[in-house]
Amino acid sequence: MSAITMAFNFHYIVALVMCLIIISLSSFGISQSDEDLTKGASFIFGDSLVDAGNNNYLPTLSRANISPNGIDFKASGGTPTGRYTNGRTIGDIVGEELGQTHYALPFLAPNTTGRAILYGVNYASGGGGIMNATGRIFVNRLSMDIQVDYFNITRKQIDQLLGPSKAKEYVTKRSIFSITIGSNDFLNNYLLPVISMGARITQSPNSFVDDLLNHLRGQLTRLYQLDARKFVIGNVGPIGCIPYQKTINQLSEVECVSLPNKLALQYNARLKDLLQELNENLEGATFVHANVYDLVMELITNYAKYGFTSSSKACCGNGGQFAGIIPCGPSSSVCSDRDKHVFWDPYHPSEAANLIIAKQLVDGEKKYISPVNLRQLRDL
């Protein structure tokens, strides 16, 4: 056999093997360009704790696309992306830990089109809340109702990309729906002086929490009707312990403001009951409860155990004992040891804190994440 014939046969065999691989992948409903889709997608809803840049595209007073935000975000080379922290959000880290190859793109970003949406979409918005009135102090923000409206658009696009049958399977079995919302409903609605005073005079805390949970029930049910089946819902953190609250109330390092924390705990107890109700009543769905309150309180109380030097002072901010009055921006003082602070700015955790929280959500025990952790949820 001549060398030319042998070379031809070799290339023919290689081509044949490649064809067989492609055919076998296709038989499992996976094309070459779909291979990454086996890792699944994250669809992220919420507020500034997980906003990845939606507010960049809104005329709003709540924005994080200014320096030094994002200074440690490797994917952008340290330039601001609209994330309200120095690096990755909890949503970013959870996606990485679950093996997803792309960060969920902000829904409002112009490049969130075509096949990019199959890796996940982020609808979260700084200032957003469960109630549509929440965050109006910022002029514009995406409430949870609007975020679900936007997912409805994405859901139709997934049908167009994959076909209805494969799209439904992808959304129900390979997608996790993450909801981190509720803090603004207290901080930038119920607890706001003047702006919400009318509502507070006529509405008790119990009644307000009732309203929140009734709205959230409807929003989660709408997502279920759009084929969402794997949910993780974070409760409200210890909002009375953030640097902003400590500063304006002139507290000591170890004190927290009691009323915001009391309201958060009241809401959180009822949220847990709601998720149990939905697990029982919405067939085929799994609603996972993320105990963010206890996770963050653990970091605040025992910060030295986790390698932090401060759990009360904002790394980036100005004003008062805890740099907690003026939000993080170009004129802010910035600490040099960013990974040693629990809080990046007057309101939001640092990437170092987000990393600890996210890893507990992915692989943690039932006191923090139940009835299953997020790795188990992905594999259901």
Side-chain angles (χ1 to χ4, degrees):
M1 189 181 291
S2 71
I4 293 172
T5 306
M6 287 176 67
F8 174 81
N9 286 344
F10 174 76
H11 288 298
Y12 175 77
I13 290 165
V14 169
L16 185 62
V17 169
M18 289 303 294
C19 282
L20 288 170
I21 289 170
I22 291 166
I23 289 165
S24 65
L25 284 171
S26 298
S27 69
F28 286 102
I30 303 169
S31 70
Q32 270 184 300
S33 58
D34 280 346
E35 283 187 72
D36 277 353
L37 300 186
T38 59
K39 302 294 185 183
S42 290
F43 294 99
I44 298 171
F45 304 79
D47 53 31
S48 55
L49 291 169
V50 288
D51 187 348
N54 280 307
N55 278 25
N56 300 354
Y57 305 96
L58 294 174
T60 178
L61 298 176
S62 178
R63 278 194 176 183
N65 59 340
I66 50 172
S67 210
N69 292 300
I71 191 171
D72 298 307
F73 190 63
K74 292 185 175 67
S76 69
T79 58
T81 61
R83 288 166 168 83
Y84 293 73
T85 185
N86 58 308
R88 294 164 294 169
T89 67
I90 293 170
D92 294 328
I93 298 163
V94 165
E96 286 180 348
E97 291 290 318
L98 294 179
Q100 292 167 10
T101 54
H102 300 68
Y103 294 132
L105 293 171
F107 176 83
L108 294 178
N111 60 328
T112 307
T113 58
R115 297 188 68 79
I117 69 171
L118 297 175
Y119 300 113
V121 178
N122 185 312
Y123 307 88
S125 172
I130 296 167
M131 308 296 282
N132 290 320
T134 292
R136 60 186 167 187
I137 190 173
F138 303 117
V139 183
N140 268 307
R141 70 280 171 215
L142 306 178
S143 69
M144 186 64 184
D145 276 340
I146 293 171
Q147 293 179 38
V148 177
D149 288 344
Y150 284 165
F151 176 71
N152 190 26
I153 295 170
T154 302
R155 182 67 188 83
K156 290 170 183 170
Q157 292 170 335
I158 297 171
D159 269 353
Q160 291 165 0
L161 287 164
L162 299 179
S165 174
K166 191 176 171 191
K168 184 168 185 174
E169 183 185 11
Y170 192 64
V171 173
T172 56
K173 294 184 179 174
R174 298 231 178 242
S175 302
I176 290 179
F177 290 76
S178 168
I179 295 97
T180 306
I181 205 156
S183 298
N184 285 314
D185 291 290
F186 295 107
L187 291 174
N188 291 305
N189 187 338
Y190 191 75
L191 289 170
L192 263 189
V194 184
I195 288 179
S196 65
M197 194 56 75
R200 285 172 67 186
I201 289 166
T202 58
Q203 195 167 26
S204 69
N206 263 334
S207 172
F208 184 71
V209 169
D210 272 348
D211 270 2
L212 286 181
L213 291 161
N214 285 333
H215 275 79
L216 184 62
R217 179 189 287 105
Q219 291 153 354
L220 296 175
T221 303
R222 280 182 67 203
L223 287 173
Y224 176 84
Q225 288 164 348
L226 293 167
D227 296 322
R229 291 296 181 271
K230 298 181 180 184
F231 295 84
V232 55
I233 293 92
N235 64 14
V236 171
I239 49 179
C241 302
I242 61 177
Y244 170 75
Q245 288 285 344
K246 287 191 175 192
T247 302
I248 64 168
N249 288 281
Q250 299 182 318
L251 299 184
S252 74
E253 192 171 336
V254 296
E255 290 178 297
C256 296
V257 187
S258 60
L259 178 58
N261 280 358
K262 184 181 173 185
L263 290 169
L265 288 169
Q266 193 173 338
Y267 167 82
N268 291 347
R270 300 275 303 282
L271 174 69
K272 199 167 185 180
D273 292 341
L274 171 64
L275 299 185
Q276 186 175 336
E277 170 199 316
L278 294 175
N279 271 324
E280 290 168 2
N281 294 338
L282 296 183
E283 186 180 353
T286 302
F287 288 85
V288 172
H289 174 258
N291 187 1
V292 175
Y293 187 99
D294 283 356
L295 263 173
V296 175
M297 191 59 96
E298 166 67 13
L299 290 185
I300 289 170
T301 307
N302 300 309
Y303 62 90
K305 174 181 166 185
Y306 299 93
F308 296 106
T309 57
S310 173
S311 66
S312 53
K313 189 172 183 180
C315 172
C316 180
N318 280 323
Q321 185 184 355
F322 304 114
I325 295 176
I326 301 169
C328 182
S331 61
S332 301
S333 59
V334 184
C335 67
S336 56
D337 52 348
R338 297 185 291 273
D339 61 343
K340 301 294 184 187
H341 282 66
V342 171
F343 288 96
W344 162 243
D345 68 10
Y347 304 92
H348 306 99
S350 64
E351 182 185 59
N354 284 339
L355 189 61
I356 293 168
I357 295 164
K359 289 194 170 183
Q360 282 289 347
L361 299 181
V362 172
D363 291 309
E365 52 195 307
K366 281 189 165 53
K367 69 176 177 176
Y368 293 134
I369 186 88
S370 62
V372 294
N373 63 39
L374 297 192
R375 198 177 301 281
Q376 292 164 335
L377 180 68
R378 177 199 65 184
D379 295 339
L380 286 178

